[in-house]
Amino acid sequence: MGRLDRYIFSTAGAAFLGVVVVLAGMIWVTQALRQLDLVTSQGQTIIAFFAITALTMPTLVLVIAPAALFIATAYTLLKLNGDSEIVVMAAAGMSHWRVLRPLALLAVLVSLFCALLAVQVVPASLRIFREELTRVRADVVGFVAQPGRFVNLTQGLVFHVRERDANGVMSGIFINDSRDKEISTYLADRGQIVENKSGIFLVLENGSIHRRSAEKSNTANSTSVVEFQRYAFDLSSLTPNSQFVDIRPNERSMGYLLNPPTADPYWRLTPGRFREEIHKRLSAGLYPFAFFAIAAAALARPRTTRQSRGAALTAIIPAMGAVQIGNFAIAGQLRSQEWAVPLIYLLPVVAVILCAMVLQGWITLAPPAWLTRATAQMKARFARPPAASNP
């Protein structure tokens, strides 16, 4: 790679990384706010919060990378045109295909990177993200043992502990269980969580149970009190069973999608979801190159400072939007329609071919005559008249 190639490649690469970092960071903040309960109510550390929410970054980068490549390509070509560098290159006998060589290399690298994300990294990160959330929510010990707070373990179950010692012994325990028709309130001087083969239990000592019927809570003598020396409160029902974790097709590996077992519930109910996921992953690497081709077709040719680039910019943004909307529309049909499978690949390939023909000059894109005349009339109407010279 020569010095000129390194210059163009570094300019576009820096722009691409900058756009990805800024956009991914902004979107990550909005997504991470949804998981703030990991710190505020689940008793997790800030390190665990960042580690878990960072697992969503591969998905964000996969979505942002094609648009970031489009912006980086347009920015680089506009910069080269604005500084008249492309004009100088053309005057020296360099074709626009030669100018696009380092940008095409960047587009190939981004396309391969997106393909790797779609096929391997994103499904693995989504699967780990789901497992970590399940593990955190299953951490009953860390959840309930938050001194001085009233914690809703689940709908109708409130837990409070006054303090907790370093050895795990809790004191001043209050539990209000209204999940059944009979409301039970547990008060105990101390307690400790014990886990064995039978499950997870909160062993209470020196306390009482106040039971009352929900229908008769306002009548007299509707409360019964039972005192105990030792009582085991079952917490096993609050812990998700890892054997029945719901793993969706977008979290499965590529090998699993290509050969799913017949016992898979998603395969039995909606086998089209596997077809949709397979072809969305395999086609993900084609769309970044299509976005690069759109920007290159409009901005790679040399333009002087007198030639406006507004028309080119006005054209490429709707073209990029049309390709992206077409991708979404076709992907939405993959689950139920087999005829959409070749279209998900043909759309970016056709876009690249058309852009190459535009660059080669075989297709000339020009605004309609009526639009050109209307634009000229508008410019003439708002143009300032020449200032009168003093005699």
Side-chain angles (χ1 to χ4, degrees), residues 4-28:
L4 178 61
D5 292 334
R6 290 197 300 270
Y7 167 68
I8 298 175
F9 184 87
S10 61
T11 301
F16 171 77
L17 293 177
V19 173
V20 168
V21 170
V22 172
L23 292 182
M26 293 174 60
I27 299 176
W28 175 82

Side-chain angles (χ1 to χ4, degrees), residues 230-372:
R230 192 177 180 87
Y231 182 86
F233 186 84
D234 190 6
L235 296 175
S236 301
S237 60
L238 304 177
T239 304
N241 192 339
S242 60
Q243 297 178 352
F244 300 98
V245 177
D246 183 23
I247 302 180
R248 300 170 184 173
N250 63 340
E251 300 167 353
R252 296 290 189 180
S253 65
M254 197 66 180
Y256 187 96
L257 294 177
L258 294 173
N259 188 24
T262 56
D264 188 286
Y266 287 101
W267 175 255
R268 293 200 311 264
L269 297 176
T270 54
R273 293 190 62 175
F274 286 76
R275 179 177 61 244
E276 174 190 11
E277 190 63 29
I278 289 172
H279 295 290
K280 283 174 63 176
R281 294 186 190 181
L282 294 178
S283 63
L286 298 176
Y287 285 88
F289 203 87
F291 288 176
F292 153 76
I294 292 173
L299 301 172
R301 287 186 174 274
R303 297 171 183 268
T304 64
T305 55
R306 295 182 179 181
Q307 292 175 301
S308 174
R309 290 177 290 272
L313 290 175
T314 305
I316 62 175
I317 294 177
M320 186 197 72
V323 172
Q324 188 64 64
I325 293 173
N327 179 26
F328 290 151
I330 297 172
Q333 299 295 323
L334 287 174
R335 185 178 303 184
S336 57
Q337 305 294 336
E338 292 188 5
W339 56 261
V341 172
L343 296 182
I344 198 73
Y345 302 97
L346 284 176
L347 177 62
V349 172
V350 170
V352 171
I353 294 175
L354 290 176
C355 291
M357 295 174 68
V358 171
L359 272 172
Q360 191 63 27
W362 296 344
I363 297 178
T364 303
L365 299 179
W370 63 268
L371 182 60
T372 304

Side-chain angles (χ1 to χ4, degrees), residues 154-315:
T154 185
Q155 184 66 31
L157 183 60
V158 180
F159 185 94
H160 172 79
V161 57
R162 186 174 65 247
E163 59 182 357
R164 184 189 183 192
D165 298 337
N167 57 4
V169 177
M170 295 172 282
S171 59
I173 298 173
F174 167 86
I175 303 174
N176 188 73
D177 188 358
S178 60
R179 293 175 294 177
D180 300 327
K181 294 182 179 180
E182 188 177 58
I183 301 176
S184 301
T185 302
Y186 301 81
L187 302 174
D189 292 338
R190 59 183 177 272
Q192 189 171 9
I193 294 179
V194 177
E195 184 174 358
N196 53 34
K197 296 181 179 179
S198 301
I200 300 178
F201 299 91
L202 174 59
V203 179
L204 305 174
E205 297 180 359
N206 299 330
S208 60
I209 305 175
H210 302 254
R211 291 193 174 98
R212 65 186 186 277
S213 175
E215 291 80 4
K216 301 179 181 179
S217 57
N218 295 326
T219 61
N221 300 325
S222 62
T223 303
S224 62
V225 180
V226 178
E227 295 184 352
F228 59 84
Q229 293 294 324
R230 192 177 180 87
Y231 182 86
F233 186 84
D234 190 6
L235 296 175
S236 301
S237 60
L238 304 177
T239 304
N241 192 339
S242 60
Q243 297 178 352
F244 300 98
V245 177
D246 183 23
I247 302 180
R248 300 170 184 173
N250 63 340
E251 300 167 353
R252 296 290 189 180
S253 65
M254 197 66 180
Y256 187 96
L257 294 177
L258 294 173
N259 188 24
T262 56
D264 188 286
Y266 287 101
W267 175 255
R268 293 200 311 264
L269 297 176
T270 54
R273 293 190 62 175
F274 286 76
R275 179 177 61 244
E276 174 190 11
E277 190 63 29
I278 289 172
H279 295 290
K280 283 174 63 176
R281 294 186 190 181
L282 294 178
S283 63
L286 298 176
Y287 285 88
F289 203 87
F291 288 176
F292 153 76
I294 292 173
L299 301 172
R301 287 186 174 274
R303 297 171 183 268
T304 64
T305 55
R306 295 182 179 181
Q307 292 175 301
S308 174
R309 290 177 290 272
L313 290 175
T314 305

Side-chain angles (χ1 to χ4, degrees), residues 8-17 19 65-81 86 96 99-108 110-111 287-301 309 313 316 320 359:
I8 298 175
F9 184 87
S10 61
T11 301
F16 171 77
L17 293 177
V19 173
L69 178 63
F70 173 83
I71 295 173
T73 303
Y75 163 78
T76 303
L77 293 175
L78 285 173
K79 180 177 182 299
L80 294 176
N81 264 312
I86 291 184
H96 49 272
V99 176
L100 289 175
R101 188 172 69 179
L103 294 176
L105 175 61
L106 176 63
V108 170
V110 173
S111 298
Y287 285 88
F289 203 87
F291 288 176
F292 153 76
I294 292 173
L299 301 172
R301 287 186 174 274
R309 290 177 290 272
L313 290 175
I316 62 175
M320 186 197 72
L359 272 172

